[in-house]
Amino acid sequence: MLNIKALPQSFYLEGDVVDISKKLLGKIIVTDIDAETTISRIVETEAYNGSMDKACHAYPNRKTPRTEVMFKEGGRSYVYLCYGIHYLFNIVTNKENEPNAVLIRAVEPLRGLDIMENRRKIHNRINLTNGPGKLAGALGITRNLNDITLYDSNSSIWLGVEEGGGQDLEIIQTTRVGVDYAEEDALLCWRFYIKDNPYVSRK
DNA sequence: CGAGCGATTCGC
DNA sequence: CGAATCGCTCGG
């Protein structure tokens, strides 16, 4: 059995959102929803910074009912509905009133594969979680999971590290996906993924 | 109060 | 390449 230790809230507060996006690669997501547990490993992330990044929903420090959770202290979830169809899962970072978040774009399934397949109605392991909308579906993430504390292993969704899980990941840094509307900020290389990992989106 | 628009995915 | 599909945002 995997031995997973919750990341402390301090993990989400130290450094800027771009650094934290990189450090989130290889970390573990546990969901416990409808009495079903899934465990997966983050393989692709993107950083969003509401103070200066036109791609961020909270730009320029725009506080609305939807973005409000991004203004809270780091270590909480930000889940929103995209295109009226898919939920996207983000991790809020940094201090209160610094509206930053990391979009989780792809994970590698580790446990609960059967549950993920049932939720997604497919039996293709690669296509189960290799996109932000896909992984939300597989892990059981909906708007109900907005504003959840991710540093508490009693939460229905939380993040951890695998004990003895070696790091030394080869990381690729590139431009973000689907943010052409952000003008010059679309050029920022704020997308990170684990090199050669088969579960990364848009191979 | 309503028009317009997505940090996407899937199927044709 | 276009449809699906609806909450959110902003303008009037």
Side-chain angles (χ1 to χ4, degrees):
Chain A
M1 189 55 188
L2 298 176
N3 189 7
I4 300 164
K5 180 179 165 190
L7 288 170
Q9 188 178 19
S10 59
F11 173 89
Y12 305 95
L13 308 179
E14 295 161 4
D16 67 38
V17 66
V18 177
D19 291 331
I20 296 169
S21 298
K22 204 182 308 184
K23 289 178 185 164
L24 279 167
L25 293 176
K27 298 301 188 289
I28 303 295
I29 300 176
V30 181
T31 67
D32 188 2
I33 295 160
D34 297 333
E36 309 272 32
T37 300
T38 71
I39 302 178
S40 56
R41 181 170 170 261
I42 298 171
V43 300
E44 179 178 349
T45 61
E46 284 180 357
Y48 289 84
N49 182 333
S51 69
M52 43 68 70
D53 166 22
K54 290 178 182 169
C56 184
H57 293 154
Y59 174 84
N61 289 321
R62 179 179 60 181
K63 195 174 195 173
T64 67
R66 181 173 65 158
T67 66
E68 188 175 10
V69 67
M70 276 196 270
F71 287 79
K72 297 192 181 185
E73 193 173 44
R76 314 181 78 85
S77 58
Y78 166 46
V79 178
Y80 74 96
L81 185 63
C82 187
Y83 290 96
I85 302 175
H86 301 106
Y87 292 101
L88 270 60
F89 172 61
N90 297 255
I91 295 163
V92 176
T93 70
N94 301 108
K95 301 175 195 161
E96 192 175 359
N97 292 319
E98 289 182 12
N100 296 338
V102 179
L103 172 67
I104 304 304
R105 284 196 56 87
V107 300
E108 176 175 343
L110 298 180
R111 294 288 189 277
L113 278 280
D114 50 336
I115 296 157
M116 299 187 201
E117 289 179 351
N118 287 340
R119 288 181 176 142
R120 293 262 298 128
K121 314 280 188 228
I122 62 168
H123 295 283
N124 177 323
R125 178 181 288 229
I126 289 291
N127 287 328
L128 216 42
T129 57
N130 63 346
K134 296 180 190 179
L135 73 89
L139 304 191
I141 295 169
T142 66
R143 180 74 187 171
N144 293 336
L145 288 207
N146 187 54
D147 199 357
I148 303 290
T149 52
L150 299 170
Y151 45 84
D152 177 1
S153 61
N154 292 311
S155 294
S156 48
I157 183 166
W158 56 278
L159 267 64
V161 284
E162 191 180 348
E163 296 272 354
Q167 289 295 13
D168 278 352
L169 301 172
E170 260 201 279
I171 297 173
I172 303 293
Q173 176 166 12
T174 182
T175 51
R176 295 173 293 181
V177 176
V179 296
D180 292 343
Y181 60 87
E183 302 169 22
E184 72 274 15
D185 293 333
L187 301 176
L188 294 170
C189 289
W190 283 6
R191 176 182 178 218
F192 301 92
Y193 61 88
I194 299 175
K195 186 184 180 192
D196 297 330
N197 186 285
Y199 298 92
V200 167
S201 72
R202 307 212 174 179
K203 290 179 296 300

